[in-house]
Amino acid sequence: MTLRTGFFQELESAFSAHLLGPDYAVCSFELDNLDKLASLFINYIPETWELPIWLLLLGDMGSGKTTFVRSIAMQLGVSTVCSPSFTLLQIHQTSRGTLYHFDLFHINRHPERKSSISEFLDSPGLKCIEWPTHELIKMNASPVIILKLSLLSETSRQLHVEARSA
């Protein structure tokens, strides 16, 4: 499992999450608490990233996917984090290993780039993937964390978290 034991209980305690199964929860949060939520994830993923760790981010435009990844990266020592919307991939070196930030929203406009990103998917590191394709999800053989962010208001979001084993 990609998330260490205790994550869902901590999410329940810190964010009043509703546990819907042993590896699935839903909670609401204010955007002011996004850094706290990112910190919680950092505390429950492995200390070193010797294997691929997949974090799939789903949700509407403007729901906070990029902001969440930016918060994780900055808390791990990355000083500048840009959205990879048009480059598809930003790579950052952190204190724990390599963070790969994918934004696949425009991948269908550039089918020739699909093969170029595949070389990074199986390498060690944290793979934060916004707008993952169904094809990508099916080809993944690693454990995965799925975050689905939904807009509740201008300042609040709902988060569905699921941890799936390979």
Side-chain angles (χ1 to χ4, degrees), residues 4-5 7 10-11 19 23 25 40 44 69 73 77 86 88 100 107 109 111 117 119 130 134-135 137 144 147 162 166:
R4 294 193 325 249
T5 303
F7 169 79
E10 183 77 19
L11 185 68
L19 302 181
D23 299 319
L40 180 65
Y44 282 92
V69 176
F86 294 99
L88 301 179
Y100 298 88
I107 192 71
R109 292 184 188 171
I117 65 167
E119 69 183 86
E130 297 183 47
H134 292 292
E135 173 186 20
I137 294 169
V144 64
L147 301 182
E162 182 180 1

Side-chain angles (χ1 to χ4, degrees), residues 7-160:
F7 169 79
F8 286 98
Q9 293 73 21
E10 183 77 19
L11 185 68
E12 180 182 35
S13 173
F15 290 93
S16 300
H18 300 286
L19 302 181
L20 303 175
D23 299 319
Y24 187 65
V26 177
C27 68
S28 298
F29 67 96
E30 296 296 316
L31 286 177
D32 293 348
N33 289 319
L34 189 71
D35 289 338
K36 181 179 173 185
L37 182 62
S39 180
L40 180 65
F41 273 92
I42 291 167
N43 290 336
Y44 282 92
I45 59 175
E47 286 291 320
T48 58
W49 304 336
E50 296 166 0
L51 298 171
I53 301 169
W54 284 45
L55 177 61
L56 305 181
L57 296 117
L58 309 169
D60 297 327
M61 189 80 68
S63 61
K65 297 177 298 296
T66 299
T67 306
F68 184 77
V69 176
R70 182 177 289 126
S71 181
I72 288 175
M74 294 185 89
Q75 290 183 48
L76 292 171
V78 178
S79 58
T80 304
V81 181
C82 300
S83 173
S85 289
F86 294 99
T87 59
L88 301 179
L89 172 63
Q90 293 285 333
I91 301 173
H92 305 285
Q93 296 305 317
T94 75
S95 56
R96 292 193 185 181
T98 305
L99 186 151
Y100 298 88
H101 184 188
F102 296 88
D103 185 329
L104 303 182
F105 185 76
H106 296 287
I107 192 71
N108 290 331
R109 292 184 188 171
H110 306 283
E112 71 281 358
R113 292 187 181 176
K114 285 182 182 180
S115 61
S116 66
I117 65 167
S118 64
E119 69 183 86
F120 298 104
L121 295 175
D122 292 324
S123 58
L126 178 61
K127 315 299 190 281
C128 297
I129 306 172
E130 297 183 47
W131 304 100
T133 63
H134 292 292
E135 173 186 20
L136 179 70
I137 294 169
K138 286 180 183 176
M139 70 179 259
N140 176 34
S142 302
V144 64
I145 304 162
I146 300 171
L147 301 182
K148 182 176 182 198
L149 292 155
S150 303
L151 297 162
L152 294 177
S153 74
E154 193 172 305
T155 60
S156 63
R157 303 293 185 265
Q158 183 175 66
L159 173 69
H160 291 251

